[in-house]
Amino acid sequence: MKEVPASGAFRQLEPGPIVLVTTSYEGIPNVMTMGFHMMIQHAPPLIGCVIGPWDHTYRALRATGECVIAVPTIDLARAVVDIGNCSGDTVDKFERFGLTPQPARAVSAPLITECIANIECRVVDTRLVEAYNLFILEAERLWIDTDRKERRTLHHRGDGDFAVDGDVLDLSEHMVKWRHLPR
């Protein structure tokens, strides 16, 4: 084994697919790219998201307490990267990147039609925001595009390097200890 800088640990433990986070603040929708998030628990479904004060979304999330986490697939890869390289305080990202906002049911932030999944969320805990920019969200509604042909997601490995998800290994029959959890 060769020791490398600990700052690269995220490359080994990346938290899941790159997602897009939408907000609506003062009636204006916005979208940002986010790579640092994690599932915290199954029920209620809690998601931890790192969104810093340098992001326009941070102000919107603090003010409204709600957002949508949208899961893009690889056909949106360039848009996902480009969305992360501009700010919603100066750019209408939905227009610039050809994304279609769709009304959500439980929150004012829009769903993104082009994404395979959209999760409507509310902020339920902000105790770690000041120290770590970590918002705890509760998923209230989940929307899946079951007809979507492209299903592969992007996983950021740092510095513009992405892994593509696609293969599935189903070992559910061996998960006997966890069968009591909701699916």
Side-chain angles (χ1 to χ4, degrees):
M1 295 236 170
K2 174 185 172 188
E3 184 177 7
V4 297
S7 60
F10 74 95
R11 293 175 190 253
Q12 305 308 312
L13 299 175
E14 65 89 9
I18 287 291
V19 297
L20 298 173
V21 178
T22 72
T23 53
S24 182
Y25 181 54
E26 297 178 346
I28 301 170
N30 185 45
V31 59
M32 72 166 275
T33 302
M34 181 176 63
F36 288 98
H37 53 83
M38 63 185 157
M39 286 305 305
I40 294 174
Q41 73 179 30
H42 293 87
L46 296 180
I47 303 164
C49 295
V50 175
I51 299 173
W54 51 85
D55 290 312
H56 182 64
T57 296
Y58 177 91
R59 292 183 295 281
L61 194 55
R62 292 287 289 200
T64 66
E66 58 184 37
C67 66
V68 168
I69 297 176
V71 182
T73 49
I74 66 166
D75 52 327
L76 293 174
R78 290 193 193 266
V80 166
V81 172
D82 291 345
I83 287 166
N85 285 309
C86 60
S87 178
D89 61 355
T90 58
V91 175
D92 178 342
K93 295 184 191 183
F94 280 92
E95 183 179 317
R96 177 177 284 179
F97 300 106
L99 298 175
T100 309
Q102 180 178 333
R105 290 250 179 97
V107 300
S108 61
L111 309 178
I112 300 176
T113 303
E114 291 78 11
C115 288
I116 192 165
N118 285 270
I119 308 165
E120 297 182 42
C121 301
R122 290 200 190 280
V123 175
V124 293
D125 193 334
T126 59
R127 289 177 288 179
L128 297 173
V129 171
E130 290 301 316
Y132 301 106
N133 303 311
L134 180 62
F135 290 85
I136 308 301
L137 311 174
E138 182 173 346
E140 292 196 356
R141 296 180 96 78
L142 170 62
W143 304 92
I144 306 283
D145 184 349
T146 57
D147 294 331
R148 188 164 175 78
K149 290 187 182 12
E150 181 57 74
R151 305 186 79 72
R152 296 172 295 165
T153 55
L154 298 162
H155 298 256
H156 191 229
R157 295 173 36 84
D159 302 323
D161 184 29
F162 293 86
V164 176
D165 182 38
D167 291 334
V168 176
L169 178 60
D170 185 355
L171 297 174
S172 58
E173 64 190 45
H174 296 278
M175 298 291 289
V176 294
K177 184 177 180 181
W178 308 107
R179 291 189 191 219
H180 69 279
L181 295 176
R183 288 185 138 227

